[in-house]
Amino acid sequence: MADNVTSLFRGTAAHSPSMAALAREGGDGSGPVDFCIPCNPYFPTPAMFEDMAARLRDIITYYPSSADTITAELCNLLQLPPQAVAMGNGSTELITWIDHLLVRESLAVPVPTFGRWTDQPMETGKRVDMFPLQESGGFALDLAQYAEFIRARGTRVAVICNPNNPDGGFLPKHSLVQFMDAMADLDLIVIDESFLEFADAEAEPSVVQEAMLRPNVVVLRSLGKNFGLHGIRFGYLVANPSLAGRVRSMLPKWNLNSFAEHVVFMLKEHGAEYAQSLHQVRRDRLDMASQLSSLPGLTVYPSQGNFLFVRLPVGAEGTVVRDRMLTEHRILVRECGNKIGSSSRFLRLVVRPQVDVRRLMSGLEQVLYGTRRGAAVPEQATGTGYSSGTAAVDRLVSATNGAGIPGLAAQALDAGAPGLPLAPGTGTPLPAAAALTGGGGLPMPAPATQPPPQPAMAPQPAGLPQPAATPLRLGAPQPAGLPQPGPQSYGNQQSFGGRQPIGNQQPIGAPPSFGGQQPMGAPQSFGGPQQLPTAPAAQAPMPTQPPPLPATAPAAMTGPTPPGVPARGGLTAAQVRGATAPGQELAPAPATGWPNAQSWPNAAGMGQTG
């Protein structure tokens, strides 16, 4: 049974197998605890499910109303003009028609992201220009660099997912509006807001209203993800009436099924429950991130979606973790090795209630760190099984167990961590290499001193350095201002819409910097041999006794893999433990700007009901 279940994953290209397929192979017809499919676990309510069950016979027996009728009801609920909206049988149907009708020759998209944005255009022979999101930058999308990439490639269509899937990266509204203005000459700009209703960084983060005023912008929205009803298959796009009309004219008259119609017409009576479900997901996201960050070596990235993107400890293989979690603990997780721009060292974990998270934590602890014989994370050693897909990176990580340059950091540690200089304006210690450069970018030579003659000794091997954990504070909602990169920004560019660990944010309304330069910390020297002090020219006579044996290396630690060097923008166990010390407990994020019991989500930001 286990082989049958895990073989289902090998048969899929860019997505996970369906829950129905997993349930069939599971033997008892029941599916696993689902941390893979990103849906809302609190909506619909049990009463709504009972209502649908009572009307099941009529729902599946008769034809639905036309798509225009269902769309008109949704627009009345969301306060959108029907002529600017097209409803599809899931967002995938709309992506397909966007590709066929509005993408002529090329499309640019940051990766990793939702697979249909890369696969669909390639299936129809379009050129897909993939802009890689850097792990070293926390997978943050720099809009200035993305715009330069589009100009250099001559791409005609640009796609942005906000929040992005799988990492949950978020871009503030004003940054996206500036990007749309700067790219006004493109054939099309698509802003995929499928997960935006789970965000709480801004009161009104959607650009739907701005899209309706522009001739080349389409905003994609999901209903299945928000309402926890993926199987019903319904989503919608909002655009200038001309663009929306082109897509709507190609859709079948009955492209929406009776379940979709029933749900849309019952939503007006359940606005309060829907708003509460979003609020609860946001609270659970904070709690789940805190718990996951307590696992040694696991990095949790800040997310504004209803999922968390995590990097497994050094040496852990995602496919092994996924298969063991499923077969041994009946827990389904999303291993991201088949996503372009990611690797199997990353998992996407859907936010779920605490009772399920406790089960997830127990399973991960056993799979990652259980008995050493069966643990997915090997004993700490000088080499690891980590594979980044880049040989140079693998050599560095294998040589240092993910800890950085051994010699320079060890010298800094021997000299005492309190003496490390701080990065400007951050309070964060600079890397060991930067501490020894004097700001020039290269290691400074050791002062020329003549030690007294002594017996020749074998050099002691430098111990692996331990990274300094920077205390971070979880719990505060991310501000509306454009996040700026930390002192370790990637590529010597100031990030436009950069991403920082939770709690380390710019004040609300901070002005964006469109590709501005900023100083970069002194780089570390990768791969260069360390110079040892030369022996004095004149040596004292050798003692009669034989020279002492070379000192042996310290014994490898037998505990779990240490946190290592976290991805910039990520959270490590040490950081979260420092952030949640007594008196700094996590506070739930308020559902700022979202509907109260008397109103419904306002997708266009146009007036409020009730």
Side-chain angles (χ1 to χ4, degrees):
M1 186 270 290
D3 291 339
N4 291 340
V5 170
T6 56
S7 66
L8 293 175
F9 291 92
R10 292 187 285 272
T12 59
H15 303 279
S16 297
S18 69
M19 187 61 67
L22 290 170
R24 286 192 297 268
E25 293 293 342
D28 58 0
S30 63
V33 178
D34 178 26
F35 281 89
C36 176
I37 309 301
C39 62
N40 186 341
Y42 301 108
F43 197 83
T45 64
M48 296 174 68
F49 277 118
E50 291 175 5
D51 178 80
M52 284 187 282
R55 304 187 186 190
L56 177 62
R57 185 181 182 90
D58 290 342
I59 290 174
I60 65 176
T61 298
Y62 301 108
Y63 278 108
S65 300
S66 68
D68 290 341
T69 301
I70 303 173
T71 301
E73 176 64 18
L74 180 69
C75 290
N76 181 59
L77 190 68
L78 301 178
Q79 303 175 40
L80 292 169
Q83 62 269 29
V85 175
M87 281 192 76
N89 192 272
S91 59
T92 301
E93 180 180 45
L94 298 174
I95 292 173
T96 301
W97 281 112
I98 288 172
D99 173 51
H100 281 291
L101 297 175
L102 307 177
V103 181
R104 291 186 302 167
E105 58 184 42
S106 56
L107 177 145
V109 60
V111 292
T113 193
F114 178 50
R116 293 312 299 166
W117 283 121
T118 56
D119 298 349
Q120 173 62 42
M122 287 193 291
E123 291 169 4
T124 55
K126 314 292 172 49
R127 189 186 83 231
V128 178
D129 298 328
M130 302 181 194
F131 180 76
L133 301 177
Q134 302 296 333
E135 178 184 348
S136 59
F139 295 97
L141 173 58
D142 186 315
L143 286 178
Q145 293 184 6
Y146 187 38
E148 293 174 2
F149 173 82
I150 291 169
R151 295 302 189 197
R153 297 287 297 168
T155 317
R156 299 307 306 159
V157 174
V159 175
I160 295 175
C161 296
N162 190 42
N164 191 42
N165 172 16
D167 58 278
F170 175 81
L171 295 167
K173 180 178 180 177
H174 68 83
S175 301
L176 290 172
V177 172
Q178 289 182 352
F179 179 84
M180 291 188 292
D181 290 341
M183 298 285 110
D185 59 315
L186 296 186
D187 294 344
L188 184 68
I189 299 171
V190 181
I191 309 296
D192 188 340
E193 295 183 348
S194 292
F195 296 97
L196 190 62
E197 295 208 4
F198 297 106
D200 58 4
E202 288 183 309
E204 293 289 345
S206 177
V207 295
V208 161
Q209 187 173 359
E210 287 73 16
M212 290 188 292
L213 303 177
R214 288 167 167 77
N216 69 331
V217 178
V218 169
V219 173
L220 198 66
R221 306 274 294 189
S222 172
L223 294 174
K225 299 176 181 66
N226 302 337
F227 299 153
L229 295 169
H230 284 273
I232 290 184
R233 309 303 303 143
F234 55 169
Y236 65 100
L237 64 77
V238 183
N240 179 284
S242 176
L243 280 178
R246 288 183 64 186
V247 176
R248 195 168 53 245
S249 67
M250 301 302 296
L251 298 173
K253 187 175 183 64
W254 286 288
N255 69 319
L256 302 175
N257 59 58
S258 296
F259 269 115
E261 178 180 17
H262 186 80
V263 171
V264 167
F265 274 83
M266 73 188 301
L267 287 176
K268 58 189 173 187
E269 303 172 1
H270 299 278
E273 294 95 327
Y274 177 60
Q276 180 59 35
S277 74
L278 297 177
H279 180 71
Q280 187 61 49
V281 169
R282 297 172 191 136
R283 291 178 55 129
D284 288 348
R285 181 173 61 209
L286 286 173
D287 293 339
M288 184 172 165
S290 175
Q291 293 185 55
L292 286 170
S293 297
S294 68
L295 296 177
L298 195 79
T299 300
V300 180
Y301 294 86
S303 172
Q304 283 285 289
N306 61 332
F307 47 81
L308 295 169
F309 196 50
V310 303
R311 185 183 66 181
L312 293 171
V314 173
E317 170 61 39
T319 55
V320 174
V321 173
R322 178 202 66 201
D323 291 353
R324 289 189 57 189
M325 289 291 289
L326 182 60
T327 57
E328 298 174 14
H329 302 279
R330 291 192 63 77
I331 295 174
L332 178 62
V333 300
R334 177 62 161 97
E335 178 268 325
C336 295
N338 60 358
K339 278 188 173 289
I340 298 175
S342 180
S343 75
S344 77
R345 200 183 165 193
F346 294 89
L347 303 179
R348 186 193 66 197
L349 302 172
V350 172
V351 174
R352 290 194 61 84
Q354 282 301 302
V355 62
D356 295 334
V357 174
R358 287 193 291 270
R359 182 170 172 180
L360 171 72
M361 292 292 294
S362 175
L364 286 174
E365 288 171 353
Q366 293 181 47
V367 170
L368 293 176
Y369 320 107
T371 59
R372 302 315 303 175
R373 186 187 315 172
V377 178
E379 296 281 2
Q380 182 179 359
T382 56
T384 73
Y386 169 66
S387 174
S388 68
T390 304
V393 175
D394 290 349
R395 286 195 297 271
L396 174 64
V397 174
S398 295
T400 64
N401 199 29
I405 305 301
L408 296 176
Q411 293 175 27
L413 290 174
D414 291 341
L420 290 175
L422 302 180
T426 67
T428 303
L430 283 171
L436 300 179
T437 60
L442 295 174
M444 299 292 291
T449 59
Q450 294 294 332
Q454 55 183 332
M457 298 286 291
Q460 299 235 355
L464 292 177
Q466 296 296 327
T470 305
L472 299 174
R473 182 175 62 85
L474 282 169
Q478 296 188 10
L482 179 66
Q484 299 296 332
Q488 298 173 327
S489 61
Y490 181 82
N492 202 23
Q493 295 287 335
Q494 188 168 3
S495 175
F496 186 84
R499 194 168 168 203
Q500 294 179 339
I502 298 173
N504 187 13
Q505 302 290 346
Q506 291 281 346
I508 294 177
S513 173
F514 223 99
Q517 299 285 337
Q518 74 174 24
M520 187 176 184
Q524 296 180 354
S525 174
F526 283 79
Q530 312 241 352
Q531 294 185 355
L532 298 176
T534 57
Q539 293 288 344
M542 294 296 291
T544 56
Q545 68 272 23
L549 294 174
T552 57
M557 295 174 60
T558 58
T561 300
V565 178
R568 296 171 189 169
L571 297 175
T572 65
Q575 289 170 325
V576 171
R577 282 196 292 272
T580 57
Q584 300 181 10
E585 289 78 9
L586 293 175
T592 307
W594 294 98
N596 56 31
Q598 287 77 38
S599 63
W600 186 261
N602 185 351
M606 302 166 56
Q608 294 290 331
T609 62

